[in-house]
Amino acid sequence: MSQSALPRHIAIIMDGNGRWAKKRLLPRTAGHKVGLDTFVNTVDACSDMGIEYLTVYAFSSENWNREASEVTALMELMSRGITKYEPEMVRKNIRLKLMGDIDRFEEKYRKPLLDVQERLSKNSGMTLCICLSYGGRQEIVRAFNLLAQQGKTEITAEDISANLYSAGVPDPDLVIRTSGEYRISNFLLWQSAYSEYYFADVFWPDFDKSELEKAIESYAKRERRFGR
Ligand code: IPE
Ligand code: IPE
Ligand code: MG
């Protein structure tokens, strides 16, 4: 595939860990564990392919309403997973950007994540954005509040973009959701105005490189018109 057919920014709703586990009579957390491996493999694949930006939806604002034990398991997995994967991200020159209300995380999970983000902040390879405690509506409301605090009364679309967590990141070209659900679940509402969508039937733990390639091939065949 030619480089120009590659999306510059891929965003992924990593869904279906629980059902993947249920199908195997395993606890939901077992699905999240394998899902973390899929995440690492996907980051590797995108970085190797030369994708400039990868954004993943790891934990939504609404996911706080899950059972406390699942929330804790997810926090632990993400915090330990990112720390463990740091050397590889250093080797691949990956820049990390956390997006969401990270302050809601307990200090013991938040600190390691922020530390890795800081250490990788000067890297110049692929930018990996991880949405944690993230909601698209919450992000837009936060942007308006930031603008109000700046005393803005006349607000432009550029002002809003510049005050989102994603400030400085181009809008996603391709948004992928796994697990056969056809909904957006509060993901990148503002940024995905003209994104191409791709829905994969497989659960997230089964989303391998060939599935990623299928999504990119589908994207490459599409004609984007932007209303013209
Ligand atoms: C995605 O898998 C991971 C998170 C939302 C944190 P789910 O946990 O939503 O799995 P399903 O959708 O219930 O199968
Ligand atoms: C979206 O998946 C959030 C993440 C993948 C992190 P959910 O499983 O939370 O979404 P719904 O509940 O099916 O809409
Ligand atoms: Mg789900």
Side-chain angles (χ1 to χ4, degrees), residues 117-136:
Q117 171 175 252
E118 171 62 27
R119 287 193 290 268
L120 300 182
S121 65
K122 302 271 171 346
N123 282 355
S124 56
M126 185 178 81
T127 298
L128 169 64
C129 306
I130 306 184
C131 296
L132 287 174
S133 188
Y134 171 91

PDB file of all heavy atoms in Angstrom, residues 117-136:
ATOM      1  N   GLN A 117       4.638   9.369  30.733  1.00  0.00           N
ATOM      2  CA  GLN A 117       4.274  10.412  29.752  1.00  0.00           C
ATOM      3  C   GLN A 117       5.367  11.485  29.691  1.00  0.00           C
ATOM      4  O   GLN A 117       5.794  11.894  28.618  1.00  0.00           O
ATOM      5  CB  GLN A 117       2.947  11.062  30.147  1.00  0.00           C
ATOM      6  CG  GLN A 117       2.603  12.296  29.314  1.00  0.00           C
ATOM      7  CD  GLN A 117       1.227  12.850  29.639  1.00  0.00           C
ATOM      8  OE1 GLN A 117       0.310  12.719  28.848  1.00  0.00           O
ATOM      9  NE2 GLN A 117       1.080  13.462  30.799  1.00  0.00           N
ATOM     10  N   GLU A 118       5.824  11.893  30.860  1.00  0.00           N
ATOM     11  CA  GLU A 118       6.845  12.936  30.945  1.00  0.00           C
ATOM     12  C   GLU A 118       8.152  12.463  30.284  1.00  0.00           C
ATOM     13  O   GLU A 118       8.754  13.176  29.483  1.00  0.00           O
ATOM     14  CB  GLU A 118       7.054  13.280  32.433  1.00  0.00           C
ATOM     15  CG  GLU A 118       8.234  14.194  32.754  1.00  0.00           C
ATOM     16  CD  GLU A 118       8.118  15.565  32.104  1.00  0.00           C
ATOM     17  OE1 GLU A 118       6.981  15.985  31.855  1.00  0.00           O
ATOM     18  OE2 GLU A 118       9.172  16.183  31.827  1.00  0.00           O
ATOM     19  N   ARG A 119       8.559  11.216  30.607  1.00  0.00           N
ATOM     20  CA  ARG A 119       9.832  10.716  30.064  1.00  0.00           C
ATOM     21  C   ARG A 119       9.777  10.541  28.549  1.00  0.00           C
ATOM     22  O   ARG A 119      10.807  10.622  27.886  1.00  0.00           O
ATOM     23  CB  ARG A 119      10.218   9.402  30.753  1.00  0.00           C
ATOM     24  CG  ARG A 119      10.690   9.601  32.198  1.00  0.00           C
ATOM     25  CD  ARG A 119      11.361   8.347  32.729  1.00  0.00           C
ATOM     26  NE  ARG A 119      10.413   7.260  32.940  1.00  0.00           N
ATOM     27  CZ  ARG A 119       9.790   7.021  34.104  1.00  0.00           C
ATOM     28  NH1 ARG A 119       9.995   7.801  35.150  1.00  0.00           N
ATOM     29  NH2 ARG A 119       8.955   6.023  34.221  1.00  0.00           N
ATOM     30  N   LEU A 120       8.591  10.294  28.010  1.00  0.00           N
ATOM     31  CA  LEU A 120       8.485  10.062  26.558  1.00  0.00           C
ATOM     32  C   LEU A 120       8.082  11.324  25.795  1.00  0.00           C
ATOM     33  O   LEU A 120       7.937  11.313  24.573  1.00  0.00           O
ATOM     34  CB  LEU A 120       7.464   8.958  26.265  1.00  0.00           C
ATOM     35  CG  LEU A 120       7.738   7.575  26.865  1.00  0.00           C
ATOM     36  CD1 LEU A 120       6.647   6.604  26.432  1.00  0.00           C
ATOM     37  CD2 LEU A 120       9.090   7.036  26.454  1.00  0.00           C
ATOM     38  N   SER A 121       7.932  12.423  26.533  1.00  0.00           N
ATOM     39  CA  SER A 121       7.335  13.621  25.922  1.00  0.00           C
ATOM     40  C   SER A 121       8.194  14.248  24.827  1.00  0.00           C
ATOM     41  O   SER A 121       7.670  14.938  23.957  1.00  0.00           O
ATOM     42  CB  SER A 121       7.014  14.661  26.998  1.00  0.00           C
ATOM     43  OG  SER A 121       8.229  15.099  27.577  1.00  0.00           O
ATOM     44  N   LYS A 122       9.495  13.996  24.864  1.00  0.00           N
ATOM     45  CA  LYS A 122      10.380  14.627  23.866  1.00  0.00           C
ATOM     46  C   LYS A 122      10.581  13.737  22.636  1.00  0.00           C
ATOM     47  O   LYS A 122      11.306  14.113  21.718  1.00  0.00           O
ATOM     48  CB  LYS A 122      11.752  14.943  24.481  1.00  0.00           C
ATOM     49  CG  LYS A 122      11.708  15.856  25.704  1.00  0.00           C
ATOM     50  CD  LYS A 122      11.792  17.309  25.288  1.00  0.00           C
ATOM     51  CE  LYS A 122      11.548  18.329  26.400  1.00  0.00           C
ATOM     52  NZ  LYS A 122      10.969  17.921  27.656  1.00  0.00           N
ATOM     53  N   ASN A 123       9.999  12.556  22.644  1.00  0.00           N
ATOM     54  CA  ASN A 123      10.193  11.644  21.516  1.00  0.00           C
ATOM     55  C   ASN A 123       9.538  12.196  20.259  1.00  0.00           C
ATOM     56  O   ASN A 123       8.613  13.003  20.317  1.00  0.00           O
ATOM     57  CB  ASN A 123       9.638  10.261  21.849  1.00  0.00           C
ATOM     58  CG  ASN A 123      10.591   9.489  22.745  1.00  0.00           C
ATOM     59  OD1 ASN A 123      11.693   9.960  23.027  1.00  0.00           O
ATOM     60  ND2 ASN A 123      10.170   8.317  23.186  1.00  0.00           N
ATOM     61  N   SER A 124      10.044  11.747  19.094  1.00  0.00           N
ATOM     62  CA  SER A 124       9.572  12.350  17.843  1.00  0.00           C
ATOM     63  C   SER A 124       9.001  11.325  16.872  1.00  0.00           C
ATOM     64  O   SER A 124       8.750  11.630  15.721  1.00  0.00           O
ATOM     65  CB  SER A 124      10.739  13.096  17.193  1.00  0.00           C
ATOM     66  OG  SER A 124      11.818  12.198  17.002  1.00  0.00           O
ATOM     67  N   GLY A 125       8.800  10.086  17.332  1.00  0.00           N
ATOM     68  CA  GLY A 125       8.199   9.069  16.469  1.00  0.00           C
ATOM     69  C   GLY A 125       6.680   9.157  16.561  1.00  0.00           C
ATOM     70  O   GLY A 125       6.124  10.242  16.732  1.00  0.00           O
ATOM     71  N   MET A 126       6.028   8.014  16.476  1.00  0.00           N
ATOM     72  CA  MET A 126       4.563   8.006  16.535  1.00  0.00           C
ATOM     73  C   MET A 126       4.075   8.580  17.868  1.00  0.00           C
ATOM     74  O   MET A 126       4.664   8.320  18.910  1.00  0.00           O
ATOM     75  CB  MET A 126       4.047   6.574  16.378  1.00  0.00           C
ATOM     76  CG  MET A 126       2.527   6.485  16.314  1.00  0.00           C
ATOM     77  SD  MET A 126       1.941   4.793  16.067  1.00  0.00           S
ATOM     78  CE  MET A 126       2.045   4.146  17.745  1.00  0.00           C
ATOM     79  N   THR A 127       2.989   9.351  17.799  1.00  0.00           N
ATOM     80  CA  THR A 127       2.343   9.829  19.027  1.00  0.00           C
ATOM     81  C   THR A 127       1.243   8.850  19.403  1.00  0.00           C
ATOM     82  O   THR A 127       0.356   8.576  18.595  1.00  0.00           O
ATOM     83  CB  THR A 127       1.742  11.236  18.833  1.00  0.00           C
ATOM     84  OG1 THR A 127       2.802  12.143  18.515  1.00  0.00           O
ATOM     85  CG2 THR A 127       1.029  11.716  20.086  1.00  0.00           C
ATOM     86  N   LEU A 128       1.346   8.313  20.618  1.00  0.00           N
ATOM     87  CA  LEU A 128       0.331   7.395  21.128  1.00  0.00           C
ATOM     88  C   LEU A 128      -0.516   8.151  22.148  1.00  0.00           C
ATOM     89  O   LEU A 128      -0.007   8.572  23.190  1.00  0.00           O
ATOM     90  CB  LEU A 128       1.013   6.190  21.792  1.00  0.00           C
ATOM     91  CG  LEU A 128       0.104   5.266  22.604  1.00  0.00           C
ATOM     92  CD1 LEU A 128      -0.930   4.585  21.722  1.00  0.00           C
ATOM     93  CD2 LEU A 128       0.935   4.220  23.359  1.00  0.00           C
ATOM     94  N   CYS A 129      -1.792   8.361  21.821  1.00  0.00           N
ATOM     95  CA  CYS A 129      -2.696   9.022  22.765  1.00  0.00           C
ATOM     96  C   CYS A 129      -3.533   7.945  23.438  1.00  0.00           C
ATOM     97  O   CYS A 129      -4.161   7.133  22.755  1.00  0.00           O
ATOM     98  CB  CYS A 129      -3.641   9.982  22.053  1.00  0.00           C
ATOM     99  SG  CYS A 129      -2.810  11.204  21.023  1.00  0.00           S
ATOM    100  N   ILE A 130      -3.526   7.923  24.756  1.00  0.00           N
ATOM    101  CA  ILE A 130      -4.344   6.951  25.484  1.00  0.00           C
ATOM    102  C   ILE A 130      -5.449   7.705  26.219  1.00  0.00           C
ATOM    103  O   ILE A 130      -5.176   8.558  27.052  1.00  0.00           O
ATOM    104  CB  ILE A 130      -3.497   6.122  26.468  1.00  0.00           C
ATOM    105  CG1 ILE A 130      -2.316   5.465  25.750  1.00  0.00           C
ATOM    106  CG2 ILE A 130      -4.366   5.046  27.134  1.00  0.00           C
ATOM    107  CD1 ILE A 130      -1.483   4.553  26.638  1.00  0.00           C
ATOM    108  N   CYS A 131      -6.691   7.382  25.866  1.00  0.00           N
ATOM    109  CA  CYS A 131      -7.835   8.022  26.501  1.00  0.00           C
ATOM    110  C   CYS A 131      -8.209   7.253  27.759  1.00  0.00           C
ATOM    111  O   CYS A 131      -8.645   6.097  27.693  1.00  0.00           O
ATOM    112  CB  CYS A 131      -9.021   8.054  25.538  1.00  0.00           C
ATOM    113  SG  CYS A 131      -8.695   9.044  24.081  1.00  0.00           S
ATOM    114  N   LEU A 132      -8.034   7.893  28.872  1.00  0.00           N
ATOM    115  CA  LEU A 132      -8.279   7.276  30.179  1.00  0.00           C
ATOM    116  C   LEU A 132      -9.214   8.184  30.964  1.00  0.00           C
ATOM    117  O   LEU A 132      -8.931   9.373  31.085  1.00  0.00           O
ATOM    118  CB  LEU A 132      -6.962   7.151  30.951  1.00  0.00           C
ATOM    119  CG  LEU A 132      -5.960   6.102  30.494  1.00  0.00           C
ATOM    120  CD1 LEU A 132      -4.670   6.231  31.280  1.00  0.00           C
ATOM    121  CD2 LEU A 132      -6.536   4.704  30.672  1.00  0.00           C
ATOM    122  N   SER A 133     -10.285   7.624  31.488  1.00  0.00           N
ATOM    123  CA  SER A 133     -11.271   8.446  32.175  1.00  0.00           C
ATOM    124  C   SER A 133     -11.703   9.564  31.223  1.00  0.00           C
ATOM    125  O   SER A 133     -11.785  10.727  31.599  1.00  0.00           O
ATOM    126  CB  SER A 133     -10.666   9.019  33.465  1.00  0.00           C
ATOM    127  OG  SER A 133     -11.644   9.660  34.227  1.00  0.00           O
ATOM    128  N   TYR A 134     -11.918   9.150  29.979  1.00  0.00           N
ATOM    129  CA  TYR A 134     -12.190  10.090  28.891  1.00  0.00           C
ATOM    130  C   TYR A 134     -13.647  10.027  28.437  1.00  0.00           C
ATOM    131  O   TYR A 134     -14.207   8.931  28.285  1.00  0.00           O
ATOM    132  CB  TYR A 134     -11.279   9.778  27.696  1.00  0.00           C
ATOM    133  CG  TYR A 134     -11.653  10.580  26.465  1.00  0.00           C
ATOM    134  CD1 TYR A 134     -11.061  11.818  26.228  1.00  0.00           C
ATOM    135  CD2 TYR A 134     -12.627  10.119  25.582  1.00  0.00           C
ATOM    136  CE1 TYR A 134     -11.434  12.575  25.124  1.00  0.00           C
ATOM    137  CE2 TYR A 134     -13.007  10.867  24.478  1.00  0.00           C
ATOM    138  CZ  TYR A 134     -12.403  12.088  24.259  1.00  0.00           C
ATOM    139  OH  TYR A 134     -12.784  12.844  23.173  1.00  0.00           O
ATOM    140  N   GLY A 135     -14.228  11.186  28.186  1.00  0.00           N
ATOM    141  CA  GLY A 135     -15.545  11.263  27.561  1.00  0.00           C
ATOM    142  C   GLY A 135     -15.523  12.445  26.602  1.00  0.00           C
ATOM    143  O   GLY A 135     -14.998  13.508  26.931  1.00  0.00           O
ATOM    144  N   GLY A 136     -16.073  12.248  25.412  1.00  0.00           N
ATOM    145  CA  GLY A 136     -16.064  13.312  24.412  1.00  0.00           C
ATOM    146  C   GLY A 136     -16.847  14.545  24.858  1.00  0.00           C
ATOM    147  O   GLY A 136     -16.413  15.676  24.690  1.00  0.00           O
TER     148      GLY A 136
END
